[in-house]
């Protein structure tokens, strides 16, 4: 099967980023969200990023217009029937994803590939609500999608090898490097990265200075960004939710979320997106 049209569900940071790289790769992309306002905001963000490339001479105005012409915004899930592949990029909550996959399943053919951009949730469980679990796969992009080169591909228990091969081909056409991960909580990257950020919050809770924690990893481990700065970038609420998924998935105390992490979320200090997290961005 050749993928020509992709439907992306979710026009937030991840969904709009996936839409951009898919359109840049030559795919027609239907981008959907629950309201036209959300979709329009996502498309406007793509246009702004592409215009920045034009301004820097990395893209011609004509190329930009061709990319934008391949993007079709909307709110009707029925357009999923046009696509050979659907990529879901809605919030990281199992009940929301299962509800969405039931709906997608009902409006797509038995051959349509259904991919979820989950960062930690079970592909098998998401696939269980569909009539074609063999066509369901994890396709985990990293933020910001137009910049980050990696995609994790994760099979559910019954995902077909052909589906994995097609998704790999699509990801590579988008300019990404693929790694395969087993369907365990957190997959590869978040299984390693999220507990490190969580441990940084323990160090902060124990009285270490935030600047010292971040400098330690910047200069002592050659990381490009400190773990607390990264938590602010990712979103402290997302970090907490992923830690809770790891803790629930493994029932292992080493994945216990730091109490200070919960405090930050309760206080609404979620990082860059709220103007304040561990650091202030006001």
């Amino acid at each position: 099967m050749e993928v020509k049209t992709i439907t992306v569900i979710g026009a937030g940071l991840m969904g709009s980023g996936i839409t951009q790289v898919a359109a840049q790769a030559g795919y027609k992309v239907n981008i959907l969200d629950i309201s036209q306002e959300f979709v329009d905001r996502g498309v406007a963000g793509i246009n702004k990023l592409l215009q920045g490339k034009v301004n820097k001479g990395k893209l011609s105005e004509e190329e930009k217009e061709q990319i934008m012409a391949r993007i079709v915004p909307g709110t009707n899930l029925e357009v999923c029937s046009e696509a050979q592949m659907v990529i879901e990029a809605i919030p990281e909550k199992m009940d929301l994803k299962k509800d969405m996959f039931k709906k997608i399943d009902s409006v797509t053919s038995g051959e349509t590939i259904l991919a979820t951009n989950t960062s930690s949730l079970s592909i098998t469980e998401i696939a269980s609500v569909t009539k074609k679990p063999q066509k369901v796969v994890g396709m985990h992009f990293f933020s910001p999608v137009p910049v980050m080169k990696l995609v994790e591909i994760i099979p559910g228990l019954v995902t077909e090898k052909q589906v994995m091969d097609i998704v790999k081909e699509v990801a590579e056409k988008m300019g990404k490097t693929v790694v395969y991960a087993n369907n365990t909580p957190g997959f590869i990257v978040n299984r390693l990265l999220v507990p490190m950020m969580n441990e940084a919050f323990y160090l902060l809770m124990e009285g270490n200075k935030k600047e010292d924690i971040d400098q330690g990893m910047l200069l002592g481990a050659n990381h490009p960004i400190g773990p607390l700065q990264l938590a602010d970038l990712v979103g402290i609420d997302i970090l907490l939710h992923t830690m809770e998924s790891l803790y629930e998935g493994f029932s292992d105390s080493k994945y216990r979320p730091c109490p200070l992490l919960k405090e930050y979320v309760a206080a609404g200090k979620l990082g860059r997106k709220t103007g304040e997290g561990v650091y202030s961005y006001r």
Side-chain angles (χ1 to χ4, degrees):
M1 181 183 70
E2 184 184 359
V3 175
K4 294 181 178 179
T5 301
I6 295 172
T7 296
V8 176
I9 300 175
L13 187 64
M14 295 304 293
S16 60
I18 294 166
T19 298
Q20 180 181 328
V21 296
Q24 285 176 182
Y27 295 107
K28 178 191 172 186
V29 190
N30 297 311
I31 179 171
L32 307 178
D33 213 312
I34 55 174
S35 77
Q36 194 63 43
E37 180 191 351
F38 291 163
V39 180
D40 290 344
R41 191 186 305 160
V43 173
I46 296 168
N47 189 66
K48 185 178 178 181
L49 287 172
L50 292 176
Q51 188 59 50
K53 287 190 166 199
V54 172
N55 296 344
K56 291 176 183 174
K58 295 181 178 178
L59 198 69
S60 72
E61 187 67 43
E62 185 184 1
E63 286 171 325
K64 180 201 146 190
E65 293 305 321
Q66 287 172 349
I67 293 166
M68 292 303 298
R70 287 193 282 270
I71 298 171
V72 182
T75 58
N76 190 349
L77 279 176
E78 293 291 334
V79 300
C80 291
S81 63
E82 300 174 8
Q84 293 78 46
M85 183 173 176
V86 178
I87 304 174
E88 164 273 313
I90 66 174
E92 188 76 346
K93 293 182 179 177
M94 181 59 84
D95 57 342
L96 290 179
K97 289 187 184 287
K98 286 168 86 169
D99 183 56
M100 180 56 71
F101 268 73
K102 276 185 191 173
K103 292 174 180 174
I104 301 167
D105 188 46
S106 70
V107 294
T108 53
S109 78
E111 294 305 307
T112 309
I113 293 171
L114 308 183
T116 173
N117 180 51
T118 178
S119 61
S120 63
L121 300 176
S122 168
I123 310 305
T124 302
E125 186 174 347
I126 292 170
S128 70
V129 300
T130 74
K131 296 184 182 71
K132 44 180 177 285
Q134 72 279 8
K135 300 294 181 184
V136 178
V137 65
M139 191 180 191
H140 179 212
F141 292 82
F142 291 79
S143 183
V145 178
V147 176
M148 301 295 276
K149 293 293 184 186
L150 188 70
V151 168
E152 288 180 314
I153 296 179
I154 310 101
L157 190 63
V158 297
T159 304
E160 293 171 347
K161 183 184 182 300
Q162 182 190 20
V163 168
M164 301 283 286
D165 292 342
I166 292 169
V167 173
K168 179 175 187 283
E169 187 180 314
V170 168
E172 289 177 343
K173 193 173 174 183
M174 292 177 182
K176 305 303 181 186
T177 297
V178 165
V179 296
Y180 293 108
N182 290 332
N183 185 37
T184 53
F187 313 133
I188 292 174
V189 176
N190 279 341
R191 173 101 172 259
L192 294 167
L193 185 64
V194 171
M196 181 190 73
M197 289 190 278
N198 187 55
E199 205 61 32
F201 273 87
Y202 271 104
L203 287 166
L204 188 64
M205 187 175 73
E206 290 159 9
N208 292 282
K209 291 182 179 177
K210 59 190 176 188
E211 295 84 2
D212 291 342
I213 296 166
D214 281 340
Q215 278 288 91
M217 295 307 288
L218 280 166
L219 303 179
N222 203 27
H223 285 200
I225 186 172
L228 296 173
Q229 292 170 318
L230 183 59
D232 277 353
L233 183 63
V234 168
I236 294 171
D237 53 335
I238 293 171
L239 172 57
L240 174 60
H241 187 76
T242 308
M243 276 308 301
E244 288 171 338
S245 293
L246 289 170
Y247 189 49
E248 183 182 342
F250 288 108
S251 299
D252 189 329
S253 62
K254 72 181 179 183
Y255 296 116
R256 72 279 176 247
C258 176
L260 185 60
L261 196 58
K262 296 178 181 180
E263 283 283 291
Y264 270 79
V265 172
K269 295 172 68 169
L270 308 182
R272 287 180 179 269
K273 62 187 173 185
T274 57
E276 189 169 1
V278 179
Y279 296 87
S280 179
Y281 304 91
R282 299 191 189 282

